Amino acid sequence: RRLATRRRPELAVTVDPELAAFSAWYELFPRSASPDPDRPGTLADVEARLPGIAEMGFDVVYLPPVHPIGRAFRKGPNNSENGDNGAVGSPWAIGGPEGGHTAIHPDLGTIKDFRHLVRTARKLGLEIAMDLAYNASPDHPYVDKHPEWFRARPDGTIQYSENPPKRYQDIYPFDFESEHWQALWNELRKIVTFWIDQGVRIFRVDNPHTKPFGFWEWLIEGLKKDYPELIFLSEAFTRPKVMHRLAKLGFSQSYTYFAWRNTAEELREYLVELTRTEEQEYFRPNFWTNTQDILTEALQTGGRAASAMRVVLAATLCTNYGIFGPSFELVETTPLVAGREEYLNSEKYEVRHWDHEREGNLCGLIGRLNHLRRQHAPLQQMRNLRFLRTDNEQLLAYAKSNDDGSDPVVIIVNLDPHWKQSGWVELPVRPLDGAATYQVSDVLNDRCYDWQESSWNFIELDPAETPAHILVTDRPLLLPEG
């Protein structure tokens, strides 16, 4: 020990729960969970849906804000301004006469109903994730009681949120740097501890990049000292340096640019960045196929095959992934306007009713993927990801295995949702004396193939039948380190 060197300052180590490293998320709007088209959904309706979500193999059920919604400047269907009396508004316009961030929207149920939902979910192996959105409607109790917590214009009116060309007149952002910031910060912490007391341990944080870094460092560090099991998912679609800074400040997971990486070259480059650079030490990605805000052009134009292909990529490339349902598994991909990433008849602004048995749904595929993720340990890691060579850039091939090369899982995805693609894939396996062929099993499609010992083998994928092969074999792989 006389040769030891002590580092100054000492480094803190945070140990996250296993669910922070490996999880499958399912998002749904409670008000759209009703089986009865004549009424909106409730927390009890969400509870009735939990067994089906658990059966698909998800770990986390994420609920957008469940609080009272303001009436002033309430948005109508498709984000129309001046919504009429029948408009239900955006759940992110939090607060009304019924209460604010610690209240439940009366149409959804009560705090008692919410606690029952959390307990039921846990019995099914699910965790309820709550949306942590630090903004208020003009009707929020804070606006009257604490106007000093908001930023005022020169004429005295409160400044509403904007993301040009979008305007959110129904949402007031908090002023985190006002003269009364300490009282505001303490109040915002109380909101989190209130929901912790109701059983919530996972929070999806809305737009954290628009709030001060110092606030998140103070909030998360302080909370995790008392509740080390907490998980915070950062919804920050912003510059990479800002996303990375939030990760270093304590966020357990982060949304990513996965939704916009479509070609083989783009996916390889992005995954190498996430798994083979220093980012792997502090940035834990969560790949979402879609969100309530994001319906990519690839999903809009690719039909069922594109949705199937994207969920295979998300579930096998990344250890954490999520879908916004039921629109995703039911392949609801009609945009508000072609070329924009917004849904027609978005659930953000109206109640929807879903036929969960709709023909062509992806429930079976998603359930199979989640089962395979749990069954094969290599799919529960990211640092073991290695890309394989192909002679067709429409075929993305990659493999994961244990450190000793055992339990190899090989994924080959057709990136073209419209046409059948074929080509040769290099799969370097450990040679066996006298063996000319070996067997691979496609565990996604329940098929077996005899492959040649000579590394390169021919494959063909028709998107009308399956988006991918997920192959396993008892032959250890000889994968490069880099």
Side-chain angles (χ1 to χ4, degrees):
R1 295 199 178 194
R2 62 187 179 81
L3 300 177
T5 299
R6 185 177 296 275
R7 188 190 189 281
R8 300 291 187 187
E10 294 181 354
L11 299 177
V13 175
T14 299
V15 180
D16 282 330
E18 291 184 10
L19 206 58
F22 179 69
S23 60
W25 291 53
Y26 186 94
E27 176 187 359
L28 82 160
F29 278 73
R31 68 187 184 190
S32 293
S34 172
D36 182 353
D38 294 326
R39 66 169 178 83
T42 65
L43 295 176
D45 292 321
V46 174
E47 192 169 322
R49 286 220 53 215
L50 293 182
I53 296 171
E55 186 177 352
M56 278 196 287
F58 287 97
D59 307 294
V60 179
V61 177
Y62 154 52
L63 306 180
V66 294
H67 316 297
I69 298 173
R71 291 199 165 272
F73 305 104
R74 179 175 281 192
K75 295 300 183 73
N78 295 314
N79 199 23
S80 58
E81 297 184 7
N82 303 317
D84 59 30
N85 292 333
V88 294
S90 166
W92 282 269
I94 297 172
E98 308 90 346
H101 284 74
T102 57
I104 295 287
H105 194 298
D107 289 349
L108 296 179
T110 65
I111 288 290
K112 183 179 178 181
D113 296 329
F114 184 87
R115 288 197 294 264
H116 194 273
L117 172 66
V118 172
R119 290 195 299 271
T120 301
R122 202 156 282 155
K123 290 177 182 177
L124 293 168
L126 297 167
E127 289 290 330
I128 297 296
M130 194 162 192
D131 195 289
L132 188 59
Y134 282 143
N135 37 249
S137 83
D139 302 319
H140 197 295
Y142 289 155
V143 176
D144 287 333
K145 294 181 180 179
H146 297 283
E148 70 276 9
W149 289 352
F150 301 90
R151 187 165 294 163
R153 293 190 178 92
D155 63 1
T157 60
I158 295 178
Q159 177 180 321
Y160 59 76
S161 293
E162 292 185 82
N163 185 15
K166 297 179 181 179
R167 298 187 302 168
Y168 304 101
Q169 301 94 329
D170 55 337
I171 294 176
Y172 289 169
F174 291 108
D175 184 0
F176 284 78
E177 298 171 334
S178 73
E179 293 181 5
H180 307 275
W181 65 270
Q182 287 178 304
L184 171 63
W185 288 24
N186 286 328
E187 180 67 14
L188 298 181
R189 187 185 191 278
K190 289 178 182 177
I191 292 172
V192 183
T193 56
F194 174 87
W195 292 108
I196 291 174
D197 290 342
Q198 314 313 313
V200 177
R201 292 297 181 270
I202 303 178
F203 294 89
R204 177 267 195 191
V205 181
D206 189 63
N207 288 325
H209 57 292
T210 62
K211 287 81 176 174
F213 290 138
F215 170 75
W216 295 120
E217 186 173 22
W218 168 81
L219 180 74
I220 296 176
E221 182 180 354
L223 287 169
K224 294 208 67 157
K225 285 181 179 178
D226 297 328
Y227 310 97
E229 70 276 20
L230 295 182
I231 294 173
F232 292 91
L233 169 62
S234 166
E235 189 245 2
F237 295 109
T238 181
R239 299 184 304 278
K241 287 186 177 180
V242 176
M243 297 169 71
H244 297 166
R245 179 71 180 274
L246 291 167
K248 292 178 180 180
L249 292 178
F251 279 92
S252 318
Q253 299 178 3
S254 177
Y255 285 76
T256 68
Y257 305 132
F258 164 73
W260 300 279
R261 300 297 186 264
N262 296 306
T263 68
E265 181 180 5
E266 290 170 342
L267 287 164
R268 284 193 296 263
E269 181 182 15
Y270 191 45
L271 268 296
V272 167
E273 174 191 328
L274 292 174
T275 63
R276 310 302 293 171
T277 69
E278 67 174 11
E279 285 184 34
Q280 66 178 314
E281 305 295 344
Y282 58 84
F283 185 81
R284 188 180 289 130
N286 192 323
F287 281 7
W288 283 74
T289 57
N290 64 326
T291 73
Q292 75 277 351
D293 299 304
I294 299 169
L295 176 65
T296 61
E297 183 180 359
L299 294 178
Q300 294 175 24
T301 60
R304 182 183 187 278
S307 296
M309 175 256 291
R310 294 302 296 184
V311 74
V312 170
L313 289 171
T316 57
L317 283 169
C318 196
T319 54
N320 297 299
Y321 89 100
I323 68 171
F324 167 47
S327 63
F328 183 82
E329 71 263 31
L330 299 181
V331 197
E332 185 83 4
T333 57
T334 305
L336 176 62
V337 177
R340 287 170 56 181
E341 296 181 339
E342 298 177 67
Y343 298 83
L344 179 66
N345 304 323
S346 169
E347 288 184 80
K348 290 192 296 181
Y349 308 108
E350 60 185 277
V351 175
R352 297 291 302 272
H353 296 279
W354 302 100
D355 174 11
H356 299 286
E357 305 300 322
R358 180 190 295 181
E359 185 177 353
N361 70 70
L362 297 173
C363 296
L365 172 64
I366 294 169
R368 186 69 171 161
L369 288 168
N370 286 333
H371 170 74
L372 293 173
R373 280 164 50 89
R374 292 175 178 175
Q375 186 179 22
H376 294 278
L379 293 177
Q380 301 168 26
Q381 305 176 51
M382 287 194 68
R383 300 187 185 202
N384 59 351
L385 174 67
R386 299 294 183 271
F387 287 99
L388 306 175
R389 291 195 295 171
T390 73
D391 68 348
N392 181 349
E393 276 293 278
Q394 293 293 344
L395 297 174
L396 182 70
Y398 48 98
K400 293 184 175 184
S401 64
N402 293 322
D403 291 341
D404 60 0
S406 64
D407 192 18
V409 182
V410 178
I411 302 97
I412 308 166
V413 183
N414 180 0
L415 300 179
D416 182 352
H418 304 288
W419 299 100
K420 181 188 300 183
Q421 295 290 338
S422 61
W424 293 81
V425 177
E426 183 184 32
L427 182 62
V429 295
R430 191 167 296 168
L432 290 179
D433 293 339
T437 64
Y438 63 97
Q439 191 174 78
V440 295
S441 299
D442 184 348
V443 292
L444 183 64
N445 302 295
D446 294 322
R447 298 174 185 172
C448 291
Y449 305 95
D450 289 325
W451 277 22
Q452 300 296 319
E453 184 76 32
S454 60
S455 294
W456 289 86
N457 283 272
F458 182 81
I459 67 106
E460 184 176 80
L461 285 166
D462 185 347
E465 297 179 1
T466 180
H469 290 313
I470 298 181
L471 306 171
V472 298
T473 179
D474 59 0
R475 300 288 292 279
L477 300 186
L478 299 173
L479 298 175
E481 287 298 318

